[in-house]
Each structure stands twice: as C-alpha cells, then as structure tokens.
Amino acid sequence: MTEIRAACSPGEVRIAVTDHDILLDAAIWRPGCPDGLEDWHVVRVQKAAPALGGAFVLLENGQSGFLSTRENLIEGALTAARVSRAAQNGKGLRLRRADMPTEAPSAPKLLERGPTPLDELADRYPDAPIFVDDPGIAAKLPARLRPRFQRCQQAFDGALEADFDSLGSSEADLSLLTASIFPTPALVAIDLDSAGTPDFKSNVTAFPELARQLRLRNLSGTILVDPAGVKTRKRPALVPFLREALAGDPLKPDVLGATPSGLLELTRPRRRPPLHELLSSPHGQALSILRMILRENRPGQTLTASISLVTALENDPDALADFISRRARPLDLVLDPNAPPASWSLS
C-alpha cells in the first residue's frame, strides 16, 4: 500500500512516500522558509540582459532573480512572473513570464504561493493516505487534501528515519555496486565501484537503484556517471539501459549518451533544491539541532552556536516559535563569533 508520511518538527516537514517499506519519493518542506517554486509574483525589472536571454528582476522581499524571456523588457517596469526554479547551488531564482493580475500593484508583490512539496507528492500519488504526526500542519495545506489526512503518533519509525537520513550521505548502496556522489557547482559526478569484479551486467543491474537514488535525492542539472569495470569503447552500449531505468522519473531526465572518455551523461531538470543541499545548509543543520534537542529531551535553555547557525534560526522565527511551544520553555540564542560553522552547545 502506498502511503505518504509527513514527519513534522520545528520549521520542517520531512516527507516520505513508501510502498511496503520501500521508499519511493522524498522531500523536505520548510513552511517558514519555502523554496518559492511556482510562486506568482509581480516583479520589477532591474537590468535587461538580452545576451543571457532575459533580465534580472527584483521581488517584494528584496530577493533578486533572473527572468527568462525573449521579449524586450524596460528597466524599472513591473511585470508578472512565476518561479520556475528555486534558488540552489549558489544560484538565484529563475522565473518565467506570467499573466498580470487584473488589479496590478504599484510595487513588487507576492501574489500567490506555489504548491508545497507535500502538495506536489499528494498530487503525484492521488490515492495515497497522508499520515501526519502534527495536526497543525493541516491548516497550511489546501482543503482538498484534508480528507486524506490520518493522524498518527509518529510518522517515521526507526527504519524510515534511517532510510531518510541515508539520503544525505555521499554514498549509496546499489546492491552489486556502490555509488559515490560528488556534487559540484557545475555538475554532479557519480562514481560506480565494487569490492568485487564489476562487469557490464552488474552496471545494468545497478541502474534502477541508481535512478531511484537520483530521484530520492533530487540530484539535478548535468550528471556524469562513471561505470564500473566496463571498457570505454563498450560504455555507449550502457546508454539504453540507463535510459530505460530513468523512464519513470516524473522530471523526465534526458540521457545524452557517453562522452569520449566513457562517462554517461544525463541532465535532470532543476526545480527544487537537492536534498543534500537542504540537509547540509546552515538552516538545515540548525533545524536538525532543534529536532535533536526535542527528541533527546536535552536540558538547558541557552543555545550557543556559530554565526551561521544563529543567523539561520533568527531568519526562521516560525521554527523557533514552534520549538518553544513544543518544549514549553524559552530558548535564548547566543552567538559565538569564534565557533566553527557547525558548532553548538546547550546550557
């Protein structure tokens, strides 16, 4: 039976779609700091960049983005746009043109939020019940989804927690092979290897699980895969098998072929930030700390942490308020300018 399970903690909803304990899809939703995908805005044109195919624009909150369009835009003018790619990998929002509202505002303005990751997965699996361990999250979702909600004490059991946490690792077990994953600003490099003697067949056998890992981790952009134990001249023959393994991905990756050096090249559309980026960012680390304090019932009410962690928590007041409400005691934030980026203590 396919189920959507939403584990709620301060500032964060971790979402897993399972079928008989097999993880099919995963996502993270941060209600206080949404990624903005498909948000509808009125934006101000800052600087036209026809050579880049668009213009730099300014949003209501002061955030900037790049609007892709072939039309000539006048600097300083207002136009409507929707976010087509969330900020990620050190790059800002990407937007596309949209219809202006009937009553256009006189300044940049957010008109409508796009679907949340939970909305998106609920639509992808329309018959799946949604198990949620916090009834308050129902108020943040469309009314059409509420009949599918089922209250539970704990959305993630120990096995699902471990499966979800493993998605932040740089290695993935593909049964016969192991994938070592190296995200860079330009691309994602994946090295397939084995403790035994890999061959053509073991790569083909590993491709379905590799495709599942790409989807679960939301690895996107240009992806290069280095097969294990296959001579360079034989690697183009692997391309049809990789293409078949990726056929069920809703983002429809494009397998381009094998490079002259024998790397398998594919592209997967960038939309939401990849899971590793969400988990490893200062915001992700800070929310993980709050979740750990609650889970382990740690004493103390003063959290001393690095600049990046304290700043991340201050920028998500909803997460702090939720944490204090769940813990029923205040939390004081103290910034330690000399602390390493991931350093923190509770006293």
Side-chain angles (χ1 to χ4, degrees):
M1 177 182 176
T2 302
E3 299 176 344
I4 300 174
R5 308 196 69 87
C8 305
S9 56
E12 189 169 75
V13 182
R14 293 172 299 152
I15 310 159
V17 182
T18 63
D19 184 3
H20 296 92
D21 298 327
I22 301 297
L23 193 54
L24 303 179
D25 259 314
I28 291 176
W29 171 32
R30 293 174 178 160
C33 296
D35 60 29
L37 185 67
E38 293 298 333
D39 284 357
W40 183 25
H41 292 267
V42 168
V43 299
R44 188 179 300 282
V45 179
Q46 283 185 301
K47 183 174 180 58
L52 299 177
F56 294 96
V57 297
L58 185 69
L59 283 64
E60 178 184 20
N61 59 3
Q63 189 176 11
S64 61
F66 186 81
L67 174 60
S68 298
T69 180
R70 294 180 179 179
E71 299 177 28
N72 293 323
L73 298 177
I74 301 172
E75 294 181 7
L78 295 173
T79 188
R82 282 193 182 272
V83 176
S84 57
R85 188 191 72 191
Q88 56 191 277
N89 198 28
K91 300 175 182 178
L93 296 174
R94 291 294 291 263
L95 303 99
R96 65 179 186 274
R97 292 294 294 273
D99 294 333
M100 282 289 278
T102 305
E103 296 183 8
S106 58
K109 186 174 180 60
L110 171 63
L111 302 174
E112 179 182 85
R113 283 288 185 194
T116 71
L118 184 51
D119 297 339
E120 198 172 270
L121 290 176
D123 289 340
R124 188 176 298 168
Y125 300 91
D127 299 322
I130 304 171
F131 290 88
V132 183
D133 54 19
D134 181 359
I137 205 65
K140 301 179 185 294
L141 289 172
R144 64 183 175 83
L145 295 181
R146 291 172 195 166
R148 295 168 57 185
F149 271 48
Q150 296 191 30
R151 181 80 166 91
C152 65
Q153 189 68 29
Q154 190 173 2
F156 282 15
D157 61 15
L160 189 51
E161 283 278 1
D163 284 347
F164 201 96
D165 288 345
S166 72
L167 299 178
S169 168
S170 61
E171 289 196 350
D173 182 5
L174 309 183
S175 185
L176 296 177
L177 301 178
T178 298
S180 298
I181 302 167
F182 304 96
T184 76
L187 53 85
V188 177
I190 300 178
D191 179 42
L192 304 186
D193 207 348
S194 171
T197 306
D199 56 12
F200 190 96
K201 185 177 179 180
S202 59
N203 283 270
V204 171
T205 303
F207 282 167
E209 179 59 21
L210 175 62
R212 189 176 79 98
Q213 290 292 329
L214 295 180
R215 179 170 172 173
L216 291 174
R217 298 163 181 258
N218 193 26
L219 297 172
S220 306
T222 298
I223 301 172
L224 296 178
V225 180
D226 187 12
V230 180
K231 293 182 178 179
T232 300
R233 61 183 174 81
K234 293 184 177 181
R235 290 183 176 189
L238 289 168
V239 170
F241 297 99
L242 181 58
R243 188 172 286 130
E244 181 182 358
L246 289 162
D249 191 318
L251 293 189
K252 302 186 184 306
D254 186 10
V255 180
L256 303 177
T259 68
S261 61
L263 301 177
L264 305 184
E265 182 178 4
L266 64 129
T267 59
R268 192 168 183 272
R270 297 184 191 269
R271 288 178 57 78
R272 297 191 188 276
L275 212 64
H276 70 266
E277 189 170 307
L278 291 172
L279 293 171
S280 64
S281 69
H283 190 207
Q285 293 178 37
L287 296 182
S288 177
I289 290 167
L290 297 186
R291 188 167 65 249
M292 183 189 304
I293 293 171
L294 288 177
R295 184 178 63 243
E296 298 177 0
N297 194 24
R298 294 196 181 191
Q301 66 178 51
T302 300
L303 179 63
T304 303
S306 63
I307 295 174
S308 59
L309 293 178
V310 170
T311 301
L313 289 175
E314 289 176 340
N315 289 338
D316 192 350
D318 289 355
L320 278 176
D322 187 14
F323 174 82
I324 291 169
S325 175
R326 290 170 184 255
R327 201 164 178 248
R329 71 179 79 168
L331 180 71
D332 299 320
L333 297 179
V334 175
L335 187 152
D336 181 355
N338 298 315
S343 175
W344 66 281
S345 63
L346 185 67
S347 58

